[in-house]
Amino acid sequence: QVQLVESGGGLVQAGDSLKLSCAASGRTFSNYAAGWFRQVPGKEREFVTRISQKGASKIAVDFVKGRFTISRDNAKNTLYLQMNSLKPDDTAVYYCAADNSFLRVGVNPDFWGQGTLVTVSS
């Protein structure tokens, strides 16, 4: 099992930046690909971005490219999401996820965090 705990959410204004963290424990984090998803109440959870085990490969959806950056520090067992130029449409609960497959982590990962709320006011 991999336990994931997100932090760093909060209320910000449009145009602001925010950095989310996801602390992993339980197993060797560097063996797992990781990713971020988000969910607006009443809507499906959607994939945002993913990163390979060593951080060499990254994939992001078009609507966050150039604004959001995923990174990881395996020595600290931590995943990050740097979010810049935030928009009201980015308001959602953000979840981190992990899976031993880089492909699967962006579709149906085995492990999930509990989520952290990001609210962007206009």
Side-chain angles (χ1 to χ4, degrees):
Q1 289 281 2
V2 177
Q3 290 78 43
L4 303 169
V5 179
E6 302 94 336
S7 62
L11 172 63
V12 297
Q13 293 187 330
D16 284 352
S17 297
L18 201 60
K19 188 172 185 177
L20 305 182
S21 299
C22 174
S25 62
R27 289 189 179 177
T28 303
F29 183 54
S30 59
N31 289 341
Y32 292 85
W36 290 94
F37 290 72
R38 69 185 189 185
Q39 186 170 24
V40 175
K43 293 190 176 181
E44 297 274 328
R45 184 153 45 187
E46 62 180 354
F47 165 75
V48 175
T49 184
R50 57 188 165 112
I51 187 168
S52 59
Q53 283 84 339
K54 298 296 190 289
S57 297
K58 301 178 184 181
I59 300 291
V61 293
D62 285 346
F63 59 78
V64 302
K65 284 182 180 177
R67 298 192 300 125
F68 292 9
T69 302
I70 189 171
S71 62
R72 65 191 297 163
D73 186 337
N74 286 337
K76 295 182 178 180
N77 295 326
T78 304
L79 176 73
Y80 302 101
L81 182 65
Q82 177 67 49
M83 304 186 292
N84 298 329
S85 302
L86 282 161
K87 306 175 182 179
D89 284 350
D90 295 319
T91 295
V93 177
Y94 284 74
Y95 298 88
C96 66
D99 194 282
N100 58 16
S101 164
F102 179 55
L103 291 178
R104 195 166 56 233
V105 76
V107 180
N108 187 26
D110 281 341
F111 305 105
W112 293 94
Q114 84 289 348
T116 186
L117 176 63
V118 173
T119 304
V120 184
S121 65
S122 57

